[in-house]
Amino acid sequence: MNVSRRMFLGSSAAAAAAAVLTPDVVKAASALQQAQNWELATADVAGDISPRMLELVHGRVPAGLKGTLYRNGPAQFRRPGGSAQHWFDGDGMIRRWHIEDGQVQLTARFADTRKRRQEEAAGAMLMPGFGTLADPRARIGSPDDVNPANTSVHKVGDKLWALWEAGSPLEMDPVTLETRDYVTLRPDLKAMPFLAHPRIEPDGTMWNLGLNGRGAIVWRLAPGGSLVAADVIELPTASYIHDFSATARHLVILLQPWVHSRNTLPLSQAFEWKPELGSKVLVIDKDDLSKRRVFELPPMGFFHVGDAWEDADGTIRFDVAAHSDMDFAARGASEILHGVPLDEEPAELTLVVLTPDGRGRLERTGMIAEFPRSDPRRAGLERRFCIHTTGTRKGTPLASAIGVTDWKSGRTRSFNFGSEHVTDEMVYVPKPGATAEEDAWLIGPSVNLKAGVSELHLLDLARIEDGPVCTWRADVALPAAFHGNWV
């Protein structure tokens, strides 16, 4: 069914999401006094970071390494007149790590959103968010007025899109990072939700979802970013969905028992954990969205899943960083921002297996893991490797290590940067001329807490346990980012 903006946003839940409520109590100043040594990971950045060259502090740069790593994550949470109350609600800052001739240039700029402009003028964080209530001074006309553009970033054709999950992509210049404008894929679908985790086929075709309760827009975009189709489907439950997966032939939507149950703000308080519902997986034919199957699974929470693939017999497999519940989203991510140690168990790397007879099962690894990634050339196709962060532990909720799990052997290899580093997700970079899955680099930044700066690391996937092949060091510290991609 074709979707219109009015039809999709006409529910009471969407109307409540745009409401302005009484201000939350600002606790940032007192809570920061309790901050742990990882406070740099959620620190504020005073302003844009002008282009600067990094220092090579370890190893030798491999010949032929050339490209750009884009990263996105929140980098301002606090203002004198009021602060954000949740890690997910800070203003997005796009980082550009450009590598050429063995050198790295770093540039970072805040997404110049309507939200940020309004809050700069007021000297306060005004807008509602995932875990933050609106200030009465907030002026809100559409979801894009509260859009922080802070979750992921993708190169789409010759454009750069900064993504959130409840509003439009924000177009930025891929070199200067100058903000251009919000992307409207069709005039009647302006400011519609567009998740920060699109699934991109090897030819560049993009699939994505936009969520509102049990309704979902299925977006299909051509490789250059033009709209092919936008259709609405109904979900079995009104689950919180931050990420989904896809095979070459199917969309694969994991539905957790953290369900929208009341119209209230902040959004994190509108969901209720209902383990008795179990988890479900909705599998939809890409060529005919009316063809769908639903698989049952034990209850689990999640933020991130990996690319799915399909065996010759029709069995579908995909990896997920499985939580025991969603307390981290409801409570933990606010406590991170206030420097409070967490007492919950980290996510566990798990393989979901959906068999042709309609049964689903979980194959748990016992490995602590988040941010599963893989070779983008094999998106939706059979693969061996899952790249993920690890090293998270109780009390220190952010990763210190990077791991590679081989689904064929069941073995995980990893390298731990140590407790003085907070490690971002790393992404897959094929070696020049290589086609084998194992012939790749992994690249990503960490915050060096001891030195008080950000570093960029390059590791060899086949020998990850040996540590970085080379490391570059910046003269500034950028807070932990959420997601990004290599171009």
Side-chain angles (χ1 to χ4, degrees), residues 209 211 235-237 239-245 251-257 278-283 295-306 318-322 350 352 354 362:
L209 301 179
L211 280 305
L235 302 173
T237 57
S239 299
Y240 174 70
I241 300 175
H242 175 73
D243 194 3
F244 73 106
S245 194
L251 303 178
V252 182
I253 304 171
L254 179 58
L255 301 162
Q256 61 188 324
S279 296
K280 296 177 174 59
V281 184
L282 175 62
V283 177
F295 296 79
E296 303 286 340
L297 290 172
M300 62 176 166
F302 82 101
F303 289 101
H304 302 112
V305 297
F318 64 94
D319 24 36
V320 57
T350 301
V352 177
L354 310 175
L362 303 179

Side-chain angles (χ1 to χ4, degrees), residues 293-468:
R293 293 174 289 162
V294 177
F295 296 79
E296 303 286 340
L297 290 172
M300 62 176 166
F302 82 101
F303 289 101
H304 302 112
V305 297
D307 280 311
W309 72 93
E310 198 163 348
D311 296 341
D313 67 355
T315 298
I316 293 174
R317 306 173 192 270
F318 64 94
D319 24 36
V320 57
H323 292 259
S324 58
D325 56 34
M326 288 300 280
D327 185 60
F328 180 83
R331 177 183 64 92
S334 290
E335 296 189 348
I336 281 181
L337 192 57
H338 298 133
V340 179
L342 302 186
D343 56 2
E344 58 192 41
E345 293 292 337
E348 177 186 5
L349 185 64
T350 301
L351 189 69
V352 177
V353 182
L354 310 175
T355 54
D357 62 3
R359 298 181 183 182
R361 70 176 188 272
L362 303 179
E363 296 182 357
R364 297 188 177 273
T365 65
M367 172 60 60
I368 292 170
E370 250 296 2
F371 304 119
R373 302 292 298 252
S374 56
D375 180 354
R377 300 171 303 176
R378 291 171 168 80
L381 307 175
E382 185 176 2
R383 59 179 168 85
R384 286 177 57 189
F385 299 114
C386 174
I387 305 153
H388 51 82
T389 59
T390 187
T392 308
R393 57 196 184 280
K394 281 188 176 182
T396 304
L398 305 173
S400 63
I402 188 74
V404 174
T405 295
D406 184 337
W407 288 121
K408 288 192 175 180
S409 69
R411 180 188 176 205
T412 296
R413 297 173 293 111
S414 64
F415 177 78
N416 198 319
F417 290 87
S419 61
E420 293 175 343
H421 283 257
V422 170
T423 308
D424 277 6
E425 71 174 3
M426 291 197 175
V427 299
Y428 182 102
V429 178
K431 293 181 180 178
T435 57
E437 190 178 357
E438 61 268 26
D439 291 337
W441 309 111
L442 305 181
I443 192 165
S446 73
V447 184
N448 185 323
L449 301 173
K450 184 176 181 180
V453 296
S454 289
E455 296 180 341
L456 184 67
H457 309 282
L458 186 77
L459 293 86
D460 191 325
L461 184 152
R463 293 183 291 277
I464 187 174
E465 56 271 38
D466 294 343

Side-chain angles (χ1 to χ4, degrees), residues 98-412:
H98 180 70
I99 303 176
E100 189 170 0
D101 297 328
Q103 296 184 309
V104 177
Q105 183 187 68
L106 170 64
T107 307
R109 293 184 72 167
F110 280 102
D112 185 21
T113 61
R114 297 172 194 161
K115 170 189 182 297
R116 183 168 173 81
R117 286 182 227 141
Q118 195 177 142
E119 291 174 339
E120 282 190 319
M125 304 296 275
L126 304 176
M127 295 300 177
F130 191 84
T132 302
L133 287 168
D135 186 290
R137 294 170 288 175
R139 301 187 305 275
I140 303 171
S142 82
D144 282 340
D145 292 328
V146 304
N147 183 348
N150 69 358
T151 309
S152 188
V153 57
H154 284 264
K155 186 86 178 296
V156 182
D158 60 353
K159 307 173 183 67
L160 195 67
W161 287 5
L163 302 181
W164 185 39
E165 62 183 29
S168 306
L170 183 69
E171 184 181 331
M172 304 179 75
D173 186 282
V175 177
T176 68
L177 303 184
E178 178 184 4
T179 297
R180 291 174 175 167
D181 202 355
Y182 298 89
V183 177
T184 299
L185 293 169
R186 202 172 73 196
D188 63 320
L189 299 178
K190 189 174 183 178
M192 293 287 277
F194 192 88
L195 286 186
H197 288 284
R199 290 292 157 179
I200 302 176
E201 296 179 353
D203 70 355
T205 298
M206 178 187 292
W207 295 84
N208 206 358
L209 301 179
L211 280 305
N212 180 32
R214 289 185 63 180
I217 302 172
V218 177
W219 299 100
R220 184 179 179 183
L221 277 61
S226 60
L227 181 65
V228 175
D231 297 284
V232 68
I233 62 171
E234 184 176 353
L235 302 173
T237 57
S239 299
Y240 174 70
I241 300 175
H242 175 73
D243 194 3
F244 73 106
S245 194
T247 70
R249 299 192 300 133
H250 295 97
L251 303 178
V252 182
I253 304 171
L254 179 58
L255 301 162
Q256 61 188 324
W258 200 42
V259 181
H260 192 280
S261 60
R262 49 190 174 267
N263 293 331
T264 188
L265 290 176
L267 186 64
S268 60
Q269 302 307 310
F271 289 83
E272 184 177 355
W273 181 250
K274 296 184 176 182
E276 68 276 10
L277 298 179
S279 296
K280 296 177 174 59
V281 184
L282 175 62
V283 177
I284 302 175
D285 192 311
K286 286 180 175 178
D287 293 330
D288 183 349
L289 301 184
S290 68
K291 294 181 179 178
R292 47 194 282 163
R293 293 174 289 162
V294 177
F295 296 79
E296 303 286 340
L297 290 172
M300 62 176 166
F302 82 101
F303 289 101
H304 302 112
V305 297
D307 280 311
W309 72 93
E310 198 163 348
D311 296 341
D313 67 355
T315 298
I316 293 174
R317 306 173 192 270
F318 64 94
D319 24 36
V320 57
H323 292 259
S324 58
D325 56 34
M326 288 300 280
D327 185 60
F328 180 83
R331 177 183 64 92
S334 290
E335 296 189 348
I336 281 181
L337 192 57
H338 298 133
V340 179
L342 302 186
D343 56 2
E344 58 192 41
E345 293 292 337
E348 177 186 5
L349 185 64
T350 301
L351 189 69
V352 177
V353 182
L354 310 175
T355 54
D357 62 3
R359 298 181 183 182
R361 70 176 188 272
L362 303 179
E363 296 182 357
R364 297 188 177 273
T365 65
M367 172 60 60
I368 292 170
E370 250 296 2
F371 304 119
R373 302 292 298 252
S374 56
D375 180 354
R377 300 171 303 176
R378 291 171 168 80
L381 307 175
E382 185 176 2
R383 59 179 168 85
R384 286 177 57 189
F385 299 114
C386 174
I387 305 153
H388 51 82
T389 59
T390 187
T392 308
R393 57 196 184 280
K394 281 188 176 182
T396 304
L398 305 173
S400 63
I402 188 74
V404 174
T405 295
D406 184 337
W407 288 121
K408 288 192 175 180
S409 69
R411 180 188 176 205
T412 296

